[in-house]
Each structure stands twice: as structure tokens, then as C-alpha cells.
Amino acid sequence: TMYHGKKDYENAIKYYTEALELNPSNAIYYSNRSLAYLRTECYGYALADATKALEVDKNYIKGYYRRATSNMALGKFKAALKDYETVVRVRPNDKDARMKYQECNKIVKQKAFERAIASDETKKSVVDSLDIENMTIEDDYTGPKLEDGKVTLKFMKEMMDWFKDQKKLHRKCAYQILVQVKDVLSKLPSLVEITLKETEKITICGDTHGQYYDLLNIFKLNGLPSDTNPYLFNGDFVDRGSFSVEVILTLFGFKLLYPNNFHLLRGNHETDNMNQMYGFEGEVKAKYTAQMFQLFSEVFQWLPLAQCINNKVLVMHGGLFSEDGVTLEDLRKIDRNRQPPDSGPMCDLLWSDPQPQNGRSISKRGVSCQFGPDVTERFLEQNKLDFIVRSHEVKAEGYEVTHSGKCITVFSAPNYCDQMGNKGAYIHLRGSDLKPEFHQFTAVPHPNVKPMAYANTLMQLGMM
């Protein structure tokens, strides 16, 4: 069955869960529920169900595919390769199986190669091998250019219109933005602290995921960023949506224009593993080059991880921590210029989710944890904070208030992936009272380039 929309997936999960209670040894039910979990990004649960399907029937080929896709989604390429290998062994004449095996094998080899280079201590920045000064802009390029190497408001407006017409910014300009923004971000602490005066407000946006036309709509509804109209974008700017290059260059441009009043935090998708699977790497290679993707990767490593407003509100992409006792001082000390580790505070900030029940549980995503209202309560008390704002999860209304008002989710990609049917939202916070005020909006039309158009073929196939 093809499901569309979050409700359909949730109904499917409910349906197969009930079916499994009556018939716990049905591999197909486990496999189908695994797919519904994959589609809703619950990779941890998807993995468990695929494994269950195979325990029930080790000859159930789809189970291997499902488990491989779950592992791919989690960046566990070697584990995925094992399952593709099994299918090829069982079905030596299956062309599709061989193709998937080869594709996965290619990634495993590439990763090993990257590790070998990374351990070579002299890892140089892409910047060192670029001669941006001497890149020429051809006479027939009529698009926006930086003014004396600087981003101006005029440049930003021209660039946004240029992108709206699906045109490409000249690579020299893109490189200029990346090099400058790397410099700005690398000077920031891992925990950015800002103060809003009584009369000031800030707009907090959640995931935008390459939905460029919806980003433009936010600016239309809420005003362009400026020193008097500050914004905070809470991670996951890229992947899935097929206008990620346009989104990220626009956000980076505004960071250069208003460095003190336009804020960006890192999401779990500003990472190599995710970009390799969910489209950003493919998109940058299609629109520019592999070298430019490397530079994006370097810049992403310098994005701050959390932001504290008036010592009272803490903002991060994912959520709170796998253990108690983490302080703001601990966050300041995080050495963030790296790919996130598999566990610990940096991983949690990017990956964790709230849950309604007290305590902590294993994450539905297969990374970090889920934390309950008591965990939030203790953390806020210890750090003298009022509440947290996070993103990272699609919400039907674009936002959700949980943990007795102490944990707020905001998500700004409406009709996520062109199929979830959700609203988007952003939050206004005023210096006078720091009470969150929610503004909802719906998706706007975009040119006919499907989400995941640049994603890894195994992700596209595995979702079928």
C-alpha cells in the first residue's frame, strides 16, 4: 500500500500493531510496520521491526531490504552491506539486488577512504586550495555579484529573486559567501548567548529542509531579516527538499549581512552522513562541485549548537541529554568542530526528542534518547532556565507545547516532503515577557522538482 501524509503512517503503524497482537509470527506485518517507521524517520523502531521479521522468517527477502535501509539511514553502511550481501547470495540473478549491493559497497569503500585521509593529521581546508580572487565571472553571467567582495542588502534581494527563478549563483560568489561565513561562525562559542531588550523581539524558525519557496514566504509574512527584525533558524536547513543550496546560501548571506542579529544553529542534517543520504551532497555536486560540498561540510562543523536568550530560554535543534547534570558551562566547553559523536551532549543536542512519560527511553530514531517532563524540569531548575525551544520533529500544527509548557517544538517546513500535510510555524519571543507567540502558515507552490530528487538512490528505493 502507498501511504501519504503523517496520519496515514500513524494509522498504518496502529493497524499493524493490532494485527501483530493477533498474529505475532507474521513477517509481512513486521516488514510493513518497519516501512511506516522508516517513512516517519523512526529508524530505531524500523530496524527492530525488520530484525523481528527476519527472526520470524529468515527467508523473507523484504526483511533484509528494510533492515538495510534502516541501517543506511543511521549511517551504518557496513551493517547494511551485510544484508544486501545476503540477498545477492540467495538470489544471484536478481539485478536489483546486485545494484543495491554495489551502491552500498561503493559507500563503504568511500567511507574507508575518507577515514584514511582524515587520520592523516595534515587535513587541509578546501579554502587553501581555492584561488577565489582569480576566479573570473564570465561576461554572459547577468546574475547577482557581491559588492567589493561584500554581501549587501541589494545583493541579498537580487540573489533571492535569482534563486526564485531557479537560476544559479556564480560559483565565485558562492565561494566568497562560504569562506566569509566560515570565518564568522568559527569565532562564535558553541553556546551563543544573547540579550533581548524590553522592546525587542526575535523570530525563531524550526527546520526548513531545502524548502526555499516556503522560506521566502516566511520573509514575506514576517519581514526580511534586519538588525531590528532578528531571526534564529534552528538547524536542518538542508536535505530532503530539493532547493537546499538556495536555502543555505540565503541563510548564510543574511548571517554575513547581520552577524549579530541573524542566528543559525546546527541540526542533525548539517552533517556528512545525513547529507550523503538525504540529498544535500548530491544537490551541491549537481549544481556545483564535490569540492564545494567539502567546504559546506567544513562550514557546518562551525555552526553553534545552542543559544540562550536572556539567561532564561535555551534553544537547540534536538533536545536534552542522555544523563542528568549537564550544565550550560558544559555546553560552552563542547569542541564542536567535528562530525557529531554517536553519544554524549553534542549528539543529544542534535538528535534527542521529548516523550510524554517521565524518565528516558531508547530513541525511536536509533540515535540519542527520548526525555520525559521530569528530565526537562530538573535540567531547567539546575540551570535556572524557564523553558526550552527545539525543532527536529514534524508537527501537524507547525508547533507543539509539551512538558507543562517547558518544552516547545517549532517546525517550519509546511507540507514536509510534499506529503505530510502539516502547517509550518515560527515563534515570536519578546524581551519584555519571553512568552512564546505562535504564527502558523501553510505551504506555497514550488517548481516541479520533487523532494529527495538528489538523495542517494538507496534511500529513494528503500522507502518504496
Side-chain angles (χ1 to χ4, degrees), residues 193-260:
E193 299 175 73
I194 64 162
T195 307
L196 289 179
K197 298 196 178 76
E198 283 277 305
T199 53
E200 295 174 329
K201 72 159 201 252
I202 190 167
T203 301
I204 304 175
C205 298
D207 303 27
T208 43
H209 277 300
Q211 296 185 197
Y212 181 67
Y213 296 83
D214 294 306
L215 174 66
L216 291 184
N217 189 37
I218 292 174
F219 293 151
K220 190 173 138 188
L221 296 170
N222 192 61
L224 281 181
S226 71
D227 283 325
T228 53
N229 191 22
Y231 277 85
L232 191 174
F233 280 85
N234 196 22
D236 280 16
F237 322 118
V238 301
D239 280 341
R240 296 190 176 273
S242 297
F243 305 96
S244 292
V245 164
E246 291 77 4
V247 167
I248 194 65
L249 288 175
T250 301
L251 296 177
F252 281 170
F254 278 123
K255 181 67 194 168
L256 292 174
L257 191 53
Y258 307 115
N260 302 318

Side-chain angles (χ1 to χ4, degrees), residues 424-456:
Y426 49 85
I427 297 175
H428 285 164
L429 274 191
R430 292 168 203 289
S432 51
D433 60 3
L434 295 179
K435 273 200 179 50
E437 189 184 281
F438 302 100
H439 297 265
Q440 295 169 296
F441 58 98
T442 52
V444 295
H446 64 75
N448 189 17
V449 185
K450 293 198 171 14
M452 299 284 277
Y454 300 98
N456 182 286

Side-chain angles (χ1 to χ4, degrees), residues 23-78:
N23 189 352
S25 59
N26 188 316
I28 294 173
Y29 291 166
Y30 280 118
S31 173
N32 288 354
R33 189 173 68 177
S34 173
L35 177 62
Y37 280 138
L38 272 173
R39 288 277 174 90
T40 50
E41 298 178 41
C42 301
Y43 304 126
Y45 292 174
L47 188 62
D49 269 358
T51 301
K52 262 293 201 331
L54 291 168
E55 280 166 12
V56 171
D57 177 1
K58 70 173 190 327
N59 299 316
Y60 185 57
I61 294 293
K62 256 193 181 156
Y64 293 102
Y65 279 150
R66 293 277 181 264
R67 189 164 68 183
T69 307
S70 311
N71 274 316
M72 295 285 291
L74 289 164
K76 297 183 172 147
F77 304 110
K78 274 196 177 132

Side-chain angles (χ1 to χ4, degrees), residues 92-143:
N93 300 323
D94 185 332
K95 281 202 182 76
D96 182 50
R98 186 157 298 279
M99 188 276 290
K100 287 175 171 160
Y101 169 76
Q102 285 164 343
E103 179 72 19
C104 186
N105 198 26
K106 203 166 76 188
I107 295 175
V108 170
K109 289 209 161 78
Q110 187 190 336
K111 288 276 161 202
F113 176 67
E114 282 164 9
R115 267 197 306 279
I117 298 176
S119 61
D120 177 18
E121 274 314 287
T122 58
K123 194 165 190 285
K124 276 201 164 65
S125 166
V126 169
V127 182
D128 303 332
S129 60
L130 289 173
D131 184 3
I132 298 171
E133 280 305 292
N134 289 316
M135 284 181 191
T136 51
I137 297 184
E138 301 71 18
D139 294 338
D140 59 2
Y141 173 77
T142 57

Side-chain angles (χ1 to χ4, degrees), residues 26 51 91 146 165 221 239 243 247 261 389 395 415 419 455:
N26 188 316
T51 301
R91 293 190 173 171
L146 283 76
D165 294 336
L221 296 170
D239 280 341
F243 305 96
V247 167
N261 290 296
V389 176
K395 298 294 171 192
N415 195 21
Q419 63 170 26

